[in-house]
Each structure stands twice: as structure tokens, then as C-alpha cells.
């Protein structure tokens, strides 16, 4: 053990010690010594992406599908700046990730050296923490701290920028067995008194409602949430990132709230007298106008990050802790109750409004995107374990609304940052995390082209990813806003695309184009029956809209449920 | 209302940048910020003054805690405390007005720290209100140059915000 190692070897050994099996990256000058050492460590599988942004999203996809820390690697300067979007994405969605970047040698830092960028400066507001390492002796403990910070408390991205001199230098590594972070002590146990306060509110409420967010998934509180709902009869709304926290085939499941949530959910929020927010951060896409959000409710907010409590929405009972621990403590003392009347009331609202695939279905035989998602929900849930990575736009909202989400962590999307180009690389990471499952990447014609180069990575790594492009010929979500709020002026949203099936073919990936509703199921089944990757292009109605909708900045009481008739010519 | 926060943090490179960047990013309005060493090597102490009418004191404190290096944040506004600022002024002072300026300095217990043929340098360490008053009274003489530090504060009595307890917790 007293043998000396290069910084690069220490980096590799640290990764192995942290349980890393796969990482996504791209080499270059400053990080080259690391890549030189890498083949000595066959336990570390490195995936060569085609753009560093994809390395970041793939690391995220891996983390989101496995719960483990995702790792991405890039060189200094442009390599590191290409990671920035994915790091910001991971920060917004609390994704545990460690990004390793090479930096120019210490003596060149600050001299505008070739491929020097202030990466710790750039990423400071978009990382949970970051490090600049210039001394080989710091690598071992910094790597340990980085993984610890990334995965504990509220997870997030940590960037480790390592100067080339430190990667090259040799030392005898001192492996710490503990981290020494006196200023970092996440609070996992909720305060008992506050929990009792919440129990009292639960007992007294007439119209209680659960809002379940990503915190449930991150803490693994699936059974606890279910027990809470079943013991009390309280219905459960799941946010975009709460999808999978509570099975949508459960009688108490209500689906999504907010901007593209269901009418009955937004109504229920506005009517409820108790809102139990379990691990969601009251994002504006959920709350709409905050001053008129849940006006009649007492609010209990459970979050592991104290700064989320009271940030956007006033809170009556704050509980800082890991939501699984908090729910366990709560369940120890929580008596059963009943909310049948209230649930019946919400269901009545639901029944009044057109549900799921009937939504906004025009009276024509046009091929609606809704048909694709209706088929997905049937087939995907029958065909065994799956992960669906969606991109950003209309198709993302349709997928969230129209697929019946049953399983934890089965829905993977870029929520907080809303990053187009996310789905395809995220699917690569998800496939590495869950090699035995079917991984879908569902993207729009716009978003798929933001990282389409990754088809090459998929082929090189032999990943059997199934790709669905919902091609509406537009940057659809932006076009929808233009239609509804900008006089139908379709500025910079109509979009020409290449022949996606030929593109797939050029990469050696089988493809199929679907132009009629009658072909949808066959195509999806064909994807399952074709070994390896497959690309499906669905040429759907160009101007379909996502409804219902809350206009940006409006109260969630005001929902638009159909396209208003044209008033001008 | 003005709030005074005292924050202890590990003095790693870049920590001041983390704090100031956090304030900018969250749109926090900071009236004054000063930072320096504590009795414990490796730990810095920051005194932050914010106006609670435009910035949430609770959010400032909670967001500071998200920084890994931040050990402790306390709002000392309600505690009896001693707050001090330092001001240095170069005042226009021809021979005819020196006596007047120097007696004003005496009243405020300010020091004359440099004398030139037509100017004086004054130094005053005092509570923020007293410093304000002093500056206003000196202004009519003609202030040629002024530098003023941010506020530092310490709570009275034997309770401490000592950094000692944070040094070795692992
Ligand atoms: C990187 C990035 N650039 C711009 C946007 C703004 N934006 C949000 S949705 C959208 C349209 C997406 O179009 P497409 O991928 O075709 O999906 P669709 O909405 O048509 O389903 C755009 C441009 C974004 N979210 N991300
Ligand atoms: Mg589109």
C-alpha cells in the first residue's frame, strides 16, 4: 500500500472505492493523463460520448435510474463548458452526480492558458459544491468528499476540477475513512414535535391532500407513502418528478397538478384545507401564481433542504428531514381516518372533465399524438420492466399525462431546467443502470436533433434503446404558446427535419415511420421484437395542443381546456 | 428593519466568492459585509447587514447554510451587541479651520492620524449611527476622500460565537 501512484491512478482507485462501474466522458489535453491510466482499471467502464453535454445527461440518466452517483468526465476549457447544461440540469433536479474535469497545470491557472476556463467559477451557482485541486495529495480526500456530498442530504452535482500537474504527479495516497466536513450535516430525522403537529392537522382536516414530489423517490419512501394514503384515505397528487412515487392505478392516485395538470387536481388544491407536501419544492409550474395557491389550506412541508421551506409558499408546519424517516415516525402514531366524501367530490370533478386520451380529441381521423401515448401506456405496462426518458416540450407533457405510471423511477425527465436534448443521452445512462429493462427515449423532432449524434454512442456501446420521435414539424410547445398567447405568430417554430429513418439507417439502427394511427401499436411492438436499438418516427398532427393548461403567471384556478376560437382573421 | 448576521465559515480559497455570488444569484440586497479572521485559525467570520424589508433574513441564513464551508449563521439583531464601523476621512483643512475640525474630532473621540499642509486625515471607530453623524458634520468642511468599512458585531456578555467548537468535529 505504500507504493506511490499518479494522480490519475488515485482518481481511478477513488472511483472504484466509491462503487463506480461506468462513467461517461470525452478526452482532451488536460485530462489525457487520466485517460492514460484508465485502461489499467478494467473495473471502470468508460463510455465515449459524441458531445460532453451527453456525458452529463447520461450520468444523470444513470443516477436517476439507479439511485447511485452518476459520473462524467471532460477535459478543460470547451470540454468542461460543454458539461455546464447537464450540471445545471442535475442541480435543478437534485441528481447525484460527480463531474470530473481536467484543468491546465497550476502554474498556468489565471494566465489565459490554452483551453483554460474558470470552471469552478462558472459552475459555482449550479453545483452543490465544487473543488479545484492543484495538489496530488488532495485528490483522495476530495474525491471522497465529492461523492459524499453528491449522494447525501439533498443530492446534487459536485464538480472536481483537477489541474494537470496534480493528475501527473505521484504520491502515496492517504485514503481517509471518514469525511471531515464540519459545515455539512444534513438533517435526516424530522422534529418529533412538528411531526405530532402534522398528525393533529391530518386528524382534524376535512379535505386533506397529499402532494408527492421527487423527495419520495430520492428517499425511497414508496411503501410509507402508500401506507399513509391507505390508512388515512387521503388522495395523492404527484408532481412531474413525483411520477412513480405512487402508482397511478391506485384508487387514491390523482395524477399531476399544475400548468399541465388535471383540472380536478388544481381544483382540489384550491379547495383543500390541508396540503401535505412530501418532498416537492413548490415549483412555479406546480403553484401557478403563488399568492392564490391553496388559499384555504394549512400547509405541511417535509423537505430535507431547509431552504426550500417557506421559499415560495408560506408553510404552517415545516418538517426538515428525510421524507422516509419523517413518514415512518408519523406512521408510528398516526391513527386511521377516512376521507371518502372528499375523494368522491374530487372524482366527481374528474368525471366532469374529459379524462386522459379523450382530452382535446378532435372529431376527425387525424393522427393525434395522444394516440401514441395511449398505445404506449397499454404496451409498456404489459411488456415488463421499463424506463421512459422524455425530452422537453409537448410530448413530455403528454407522456406525463397520458401514460399510466406505475413503477418507481420509471419516468425520467428534465423537469427543473427543462433541457431539450436530454432524453437520448439520459436513456444511455438509464440503460447502463438497468441493463435488463426496456429503455425508451421519447423526444420531439426538435429535441432529438439537439443530441442526435449520440446514436453513434448507442451503436458503439450496443445499447438496445428504443427511440420514439414525436414529429409534429414544430417546436411544438413554443408553437402552442404562440398560438394561445402570441396571436398565432409562428415565429421560428416551424421546423424542417431530415428523414429520421434514413438517419437511423446511416447509424445502422433499424427505423420505422408511422403516419397513421392504425400503425402505432404494431410499430411499438416491432420495437420490442427487434433486438438492439430501434427508432420509430411518429408523424402526428402538427398543431395538437397540450390541455388543460394554466397560462404562465396565472392562478391554477384558471385553466384553459381547449383552444379558444379564432377571434380575428 | 436592519438585521445583523454573524456567519462563521472555513476560510477555504473562494469562500468569499461563494457567499457574494450566492447573494447576487438570489437577488439578496446586502447593506454591508465584512470578513476577517477569528480567534481560531482556519475559520473566518463574516458580519452581514441586510434590510429585512427587501430581503428575507431567513432565506439569507438558510441559503448560507447550503454552502458546505459555512459552519454557523446567527442573527444577533435582537441580542444586546456591540457594533462597530471604521471610517477614515481626508478633510480639506486650511490653517484657519483646523481648530474647528479638531474640536469636532475631540467630541466624537475621532483621531487625527495624518496632517498635511491643507488637509487632515481623521479616523473614527464607532457604532454606525455615530459614524454617520460624524461624516455629516465633517462634510461641510470638504471631504476629499473617504473610506468606510463594513460593520462588525459582537454580542455582549459571556456567551460566545466562538469558532473553536467547529474546528474538529470529525
Ligand atoms: C435547450 C433548450 N432550448 C430551448 C428550449 C425552449 N423550448 C421548450 S419546449 C420547446 C419545443 C420543443 O420542440 P420539440 O422537441 O419538437 O417537442 P414538441 O414540443 O414539439 O413535442 C422549446 C424550443 C428548451 N426547453 N431547451
Ligand atoms: Mg416538435
Amino acid at each position: 500500500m505504500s507504493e506511490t501512484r499518479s494522480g490519475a491512478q488515485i482518481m481511478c482507485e477513488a472511483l472504484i472505492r466509491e462503487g463506480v462501474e461506468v462513467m461517461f466522458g470525452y478526452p482532451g489535453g488536460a485530462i489525457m493523463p487520466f485517460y492514460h491510466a484508465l485502461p489499467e482499471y478494467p473495473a471502470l467502464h468508460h463510455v465515449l460520448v459524441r458531445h460532453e453535454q451527453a456525458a452529463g445527461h447520461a450520468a444523470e440518466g444513470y443516477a436517476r435510474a439507479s439511485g447511485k452517483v452518476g459520473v462524467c468526465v471532460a477535459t478543460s476549457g470547451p470540454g468542461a463548458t460543454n458539461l455546464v447544461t447537464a450540471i445545471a440540469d442535475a442541480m435543478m433536479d437534485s441528481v447525484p452526480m460527480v463531474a470530473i474535469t481536467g484543468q491546465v497545470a497550476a502554474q498556468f491557472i489565471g494566465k489565459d492558458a490554452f483551453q483554460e476556463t474558470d470552471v469552478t467559477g462558472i459552475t459555482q451557482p449550479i453545483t452543490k459544491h465544487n473543488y479545484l485541486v492543484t495538489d496530488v495529495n488532495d485528490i483522495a480526500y476530495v474525491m471522497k468528499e465529492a461523492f459524499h456530498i453528491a449522494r447525501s442530504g439533498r443530492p446534487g452535482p459536485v464538480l472536481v476540477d483537477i489541474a494537470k500537474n496534480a493528475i501527473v504527479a505521484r504520491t502515496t495516497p492517504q485514503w481517509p475513512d471518514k469525511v471531515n466536513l464540519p459545515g455539512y450535516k444534513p438533517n435526516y430525522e424530522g422534529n418529533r414535535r412538528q411531526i405530532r403537529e402534522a398528525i393533529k392537522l391530518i386528524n382534524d382536516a376535512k379535505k386533506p391532500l397529499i402532494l408527492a414530489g421527487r423527495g419520495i423517490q430520492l428517499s425511497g419512501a414508496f411503501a410509507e407513502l402508500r401506507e399513509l394514503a391507505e390508512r388515512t384515505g387521503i388522495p395523492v397528487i404527484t408532481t412531474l418528478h413525483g411520477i412513480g412515487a405512487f402508482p397511478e392505478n391506485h384508487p387514491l392516485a390523482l395524477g399531476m397538478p399544475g400548468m399541465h395538470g388535471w383540472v380536478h387536481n388544481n381544483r382540489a388544491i384550491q379547495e383543500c384545507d390541508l396540503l401535505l407536501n412530501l418532498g416537492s419544492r413548490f415549483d412555479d409550474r406546480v403553484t401557478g401564481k403563488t399568492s392564490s395557491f391553496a388559499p384555504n389550506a394549512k400547509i405541511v412541508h417535509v423537505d430535507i433542504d431547509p431552504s426550500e421551506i417557506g421559499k415560495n409558499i408560506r408553510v404552517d408546519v415545516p418538517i426538515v428531514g428525510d421524507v422516509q424517516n419523517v413518514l415512518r415516525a408519523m406512521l408510528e402514531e398516526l391513527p386511521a381516518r377516512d376521507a371518502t366524501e372528499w375523494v368522491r367530490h374530487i372524482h366527481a370533478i374528474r368525471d366532469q372533465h374529459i379524462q386522459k386520451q379523450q382530452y382535446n380529441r378532435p372529431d376527425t381521423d387525424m393522427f393525434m399524438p395522444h394516440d401514441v401515448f395511449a398505445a404506449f401506456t397499454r404496451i409498456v405496462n404489459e411488456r415488463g420492466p421499463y424506463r421512459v426518458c422524455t425530452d422537453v416540450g409537448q410530448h413530455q407533457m403528454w407522456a406525463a399525462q397520458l401514460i399510466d405510471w406505475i413503477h418507481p423511477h420509471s419516468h425520467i425527465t428534465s423537469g427543473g431546467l427543462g433541457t431539450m436534448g436530454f432524453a437520448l443521452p439520459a436513456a444511455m445512462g438509464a440503460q447502463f443502470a438497468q441493463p435488463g429493462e426496456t429503455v425508451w427515449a421519447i423526444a420531439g423532432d426538435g429535441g432529438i436533433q439537439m443530441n442526435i449524434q449520440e446514436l453513434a454512442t448507442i451503436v458503439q456501446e450496443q445499447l438496445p434503446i428504443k427511440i420514439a420521435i414525436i414529429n409534429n414539424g414544430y417546436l411544438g410547445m413554443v408553437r402552442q404558446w404562440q398560438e394561445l398567447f402570441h396571436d398565432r405568430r409562428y415565429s421560428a417554430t416551424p421546423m424542417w427535419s431530415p428523414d429520421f429513418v434514413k438517419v437511423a439507417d446511416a447509424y445502422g439502427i433499424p427505423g420505422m415511420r408511422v403516419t397513421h394511427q392504425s400503425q402505432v401499436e404494431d410499430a411499438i411492438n416491432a420495437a420490442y421484437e427487434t433486438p438492439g436499438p430501434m427508432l420509430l418516427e411518429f408523424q402526428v398532427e402538427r398543431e395538437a395542443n397540450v390541455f388543460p393548461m394554466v397560462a404562465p403567471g396565472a392562478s391554477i384556478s384558471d385553466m384553459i381546456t381547449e383552444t379558444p376560437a379564432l377571434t380575428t382573421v | 428593519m436592519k438585521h445583523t448576521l454573524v456567519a462563521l465559515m472555513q476560510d477555504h480559497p473562494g469562500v468569499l466568492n461563494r457567499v457574494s455570488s450566492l447573494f447576487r444569484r438570489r437577488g439578496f440586497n446586502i447593506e454591508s459585509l465584512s470578513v476577517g479572521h477569528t480567534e481560531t485559525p482556519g475559520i473566518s467570520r463574516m458580519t452581514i447587514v441586510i434590510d429585512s424589508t427587501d430581503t428575507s433574513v431567513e432565506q439569507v441564513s438558510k441559503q448560507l447554510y447550503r454552502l458546505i464551508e459555512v459552519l454557523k449563521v446567527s442573527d444577533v439583531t435582537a441580542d444586546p451587541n456591540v457594533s462597530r464601523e471604521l471610517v477614515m476621512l481626508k478633510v480639506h483643512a486650511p490653517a484657519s479651520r483646523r481648530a474647528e475640525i479638531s474640536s469636532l474630532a475631540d467630541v466624537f473621540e475621532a483621531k487625527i492620524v495624518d496632517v498635511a499642509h491643507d488637509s487632515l486625515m481623521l479616523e473614527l471607530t464607532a457604532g454606525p449611527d455615530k459614524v454617520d453623524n460624524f461624516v455629516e458634520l465633517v462634510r461641510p468642511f470638504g471631504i476629499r476622500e473617504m473610506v468606510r468599512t463594513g460593520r462588525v458585531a459582537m454580542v455582549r456578555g459571556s456567551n460566545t460565537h466562538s469558532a473553536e467548537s467547529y474546528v474538529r468535529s470529525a
Side-chain angles (χ1 to χ4, degrees):
Chain A
M1 262 320 275
S2 62
E3 231 181 290
T4 68
R5 300 270 200 289
S6 69
Q9 290 171 319
I10 298 170
M11 288 160 74
C12 292
E13 285 172 33
L15 290 170
I16 291 169
R17 281 166 180 263
E18 295 300 330
V20 174
E21 293 164 345
V22 61
M23 66 189 115
F24 306 87
Y26 211 97
I31 194 79
M32 265 178 69
F34 169 75
Y35 277 91
H36 182 76
L38 202 49
E40 297 161 23
Y41 298 90
L44 295 171
H45 179 61
H46 178 273
V47 178
L48 176 68
V49 293
R50 297 300 184 269
H51 185 296
E52 289 88 349
Q53 183 191 356
H57 291 319
E60 284 192 271
Y62 178 85
R64 290 174 194 243
S66 68
K68 294 192 262 182
V69 179
V71 178
C72 54
V73 185
T75 195
S76 68
T81 55
N82 274 349
L83 283 181
V84 165
T85 302
I87 294 172
D89 196 87
M91 186 67 176
M92 287 293 257
D93 286 350
S94 309
V95 178
M97 174 163 116
V98 169
I100 298 168
T101 48
Q103 180 57 277
V104 300
Q107 78 263 29
F108 294 118
I109 292 178
K111 306 291 197 296
D112 299 319
F114 178 65
Q115 293 194 329
E116 182 198 356
T117 3
D118 174 12
V119 177
T120 42
I122 289 171
T123 59
Q124 200 228 283
I126 54 164
T127 48
K128 187 170 169 185
H129 194 53
N130 63 21
Y131 294 88
L132 170 61
V133 180
T134 53
D135 181 343
V136 65
N137 291 304
D138 294 340
I139 294 177
Y141 86 85
V142 164
M143 292 289 283
K144 186 166 186 71
E145 287 183 8
F147 277 85
H148 174 73
I149 292 170
R151 67 163 80 91
S152 59
R154 177 183 183 171
V158 179
L159 177 129
V160 184
D161 193 30
I162 310 186
K164 190 168 186 175
N165 61 293
I167 307 180
V168 176
R170 298 189 74 86
T171 188
T172 306
Q174 303 292 319
W175 301 105
D177 30 72
K178 278 198 290 183
V179 293
N180 180 14
L181 295 165
Y184 179 70
K185 299 260 147 57
N187 188 19
Y188 289 96
E189 304 298 328
N191 177 300
R192 273 275 165 187
R193 233 189 50 231
Q194 299 292 89
I195 293 173
R196 294 217 169 97
E197 199 61 36
I199 293 177
K200 224 171 79 210
L201 292 179
I202 294 174
N203 290 334
D204 295 347
K206 301 223 155 38
K207 302 173 172 182
L209 197 57
I210 292 170
L211 177 68
R214 179 154 162 78
I216 298 285
Q217 315 229 34
L218 288 170
S219 74
F222 308 103
E224 289 79 6
L225 172 60
R226 196 172 175 137
E227 172 63 21
L228 170 69
E230 290 176 355
R231 195 186 295 177
T232 58
I234 304 179
V236 181
I237 290 178
T238 35
T239 67
L240 182 67
H241 278 325
I243 286 177
F246 193 73
E248 291 191 8
N249 55 0
H250 192 285
L252 289 169
L254 294 175
M256 201 167 67
M259 181 173 269
H260 289 296
W262 301 117
V263 173
H264 61 268
N265 286 337
N266 287 346
R267 290 269 187 83
I269 289 172
Q270 297 304 72
E271 276 184 47
C272 72
D273 61 0
L274 174 65
L275 187 62
L276 294 169
N277 176 349
L278 308 177
S280 140
R281 61 184 171 84
F282 283 129
D283 177 69
D284 57 87
R285 283 329 195 225
V286 167
T287 62
K289 191 168 151 201
T290 50
S291 57
S292 55
F293 178 79
N296 306 309
K298 286 245 188 300
I299 295 179
V300 176
H301 188 175
V302 184
D303 204 304
I304 198 159
D305 180 352
S307 74
E308 287 302 345
I309 290 173
K311 186 182 76 180
N312 295 344
I313 295 287
R314 74 192 154 79
V315 170
D316 298 284
V317 181
I319 304 177
V320 176
D322 176 270
V323 64
Q324 184 175 50
N325 290 337
V326 171
L327 290 186
R328 278 185 185 160
M330 196 179 269
L331 289 167
E332 278 170 24
E333 299 179 21
L334 183 74
R337 54 156 294 161
D338 175 84
T340 319
E341 271 314 297
W342 162 237
V343 172
R344 205 171 283 152
H345 172 70
I346 299 170
H347 284 172
I349 304 173
R350 182 170 73 180
D351 295 342
Q352 259 172 41
H353 290 264
I354 324 148
Q355 225 347 287
K356 299 247 159 169
Q357 46 271 30
Q358 278 85 41
Y359 237 92
N360 186 39
R361 185 133 197 15
D363 243 355
T364 66
D365 63 352
M366 281 190 304
F367 174 23
M368 295 294 281
H370 305 65
D371 299 321
V372 179
F373 294 99
F376 263 115
T377 197
R378 278 193 300 276
I379 299 171
V380 151
N381 278 312
E382 274 168 15
R383 286 269 186 171
Y386 61 89
R387 311 281 156 159
V388 175
C389 302
T390 59
D391 215 79
V392 172
Q394 291 184 308
H395 65 280
Q396 176 191 33
M397 291 298 113
W398 284 316
Q401 290 180 330
L402 303 176
I403 294 178
D404 287 325
W405 299 100
I406 318 282
H407 309 290
H409 305 295
S410 57
H411 171 261
I412 293 170
T413 201
S414 163
L417 199 65
T419 308
M420 285 173 69
F422 172 85
L424 193 61
M428 304 191 310
Q431 188 76 76
F432 274 103
Q434 305 296 343
E437 300 192 6
T438 303
V439 176
W440 281 95
I442 304 183
D445 44 330
I448 194 72
Q449 293 184 70
M450 281 209 176
N451 272 318
I452 200 161
Q453 76 286 346
E454 295 310 313
L455 291 175
T457 312
I458 287 171
V459 173
Q460 184 166 349
E461 294 291 329
Q462 302 183 346
L463 298 173
I465 292 169
K466 313 299 178 187
I467 301 154
I469 301 173
I470 311 298
N471 186 356
N472 52 12
Y474 281 106
L475 298 174
M477 186 55 95
V478 179
R479 185 208 57 73
Q480 173 170 343
W481 285 40
Q482 290 171 332
E483 177 181 350
L484 297 177
F485 313 118
H486 295 274
D487 306 327
R488 302 192 181 215
R489 185 180 288 176
Y490 291 169
S491 168
T493 46
M495 187 155 187
W496 177 91
S497 289
D499 181 330
F500 287 116
V501 174
K502 276 196 189 154
V503 170
D505 187 50
Y507 285 93
I509 296 176
M512 195 184 276
R513 179 172 302 111
V514 177
T515 53
H516 194 272
Q517 181 182 329
S518 62
Q519 307 160 330
V520 175
E521 293 214 355
D522 287 348
I524 298 174
N525 282 320
Y528 274 95
E529 275 138 34
T530 307
M534 176 147 187
L535 183 146
L536 308 177
E537 180 201 354
F538 298 94
Q539 290 191 341
V540 296
E541 158 58 28
R542 292 167 59 89
E543 295 187 52
N545 285 332
V546 184
F547 288 122
M549 175 174 196
V550 178
S555 159
I556 58 168
S557 300
D558 304 324
M559 294 207 78
I560 310 168
T561 53
E562 60 184 355
T563 309
L566 260 188
T567 47
T568 51
V569 274
Chain B
M1 182 188 162
K2 298 273 162 64
H3 281 251
T4 305
L5 302 187
V6 171
L8 297 174
M9 57 201 67
Q10 296 175 288
D11 71 0
H12 293 171
V15 68
L16 179 59
N17 178 53
R18 284 186 203 278
V19 172
S20 57
S21 157
L22 163 71
F23 289 166
R24 174 195 54 76
R25 136 114 173 87
R26 297 276 169 191
F28 295 155
N29 230 331
I30 301 304
E31 306 243 321
S32 126
L33 185 155
S34 60
V35 61
H37 296 303
T38 61
E39 76 288 349
T40 311
I43 296 194
S44 313
R45 175 164 168 147
M46 210 175 258
T47 310
I48 301 154
V49 181
I50 43 187
D51 188 339
S52 60
T53 49
D54 60 16
T55 293
S56 154
V57 180
E58 189 185 324
Q59 269 296 309
V60 172
S61 154
K62 285 174 165 178
Q63 293 294 343
L64 278 170
Y65 270 123
R66 290 180 85 184
L67 300 179
I68 305 292
E69 289 98 344
V70 170
L71 303 167
K72 177 84 187 149
V73 184
S74 328
D75 184 346
V76 301
T77 317
D79 303 331
N81 66 64
V82 179
S83 289
R84 288 292 179 266
E85 289 176 16
L86 174 114
V87 67
M88 295 202 293
L89 296 145
K90 201 171 276 181
V91 189
H92 180 63
S96 59
R97 311 211 64 181
R98 285 204 180 167
E100 226 177 320
I101 295 172
S102 117
S103 66
L104 184 64
D106 279 350
V107 174
F108 278 83
E109 296 173 272
K111 282 188 236 152
I112 296 171
V113 287
D114 186 55
V115 181
H117 73 278
D118 65 346
S119 75
L120 290 174
M121 197 196 299
L122 306 175
E123 176 202 315
L124 172 66
T125 302
D129 291 344
K130 188 170 168 188
V131 172
D132 284 346
N133 287 340
F134 183 61
V135 171
E136 283 323 302
L137 287 169
V138 170
R139 197 177 294 284
F141 293 97
I143 298 176
R144 289 181 168 176
E145 194 179 334
M146 177 170 103
V147 58
R148 199 169 160 170
T149 65
R151 194 175 305 176
V152 292
M154 193 178 277
V155 172
R156 293 177 190 273
S158 47
N159 281 348
T160 61
H161 284 93
S162 143
E164 191 70 51
S165 55
Y166 298 101
V167 208
R168 223 160 269 303
S169 72

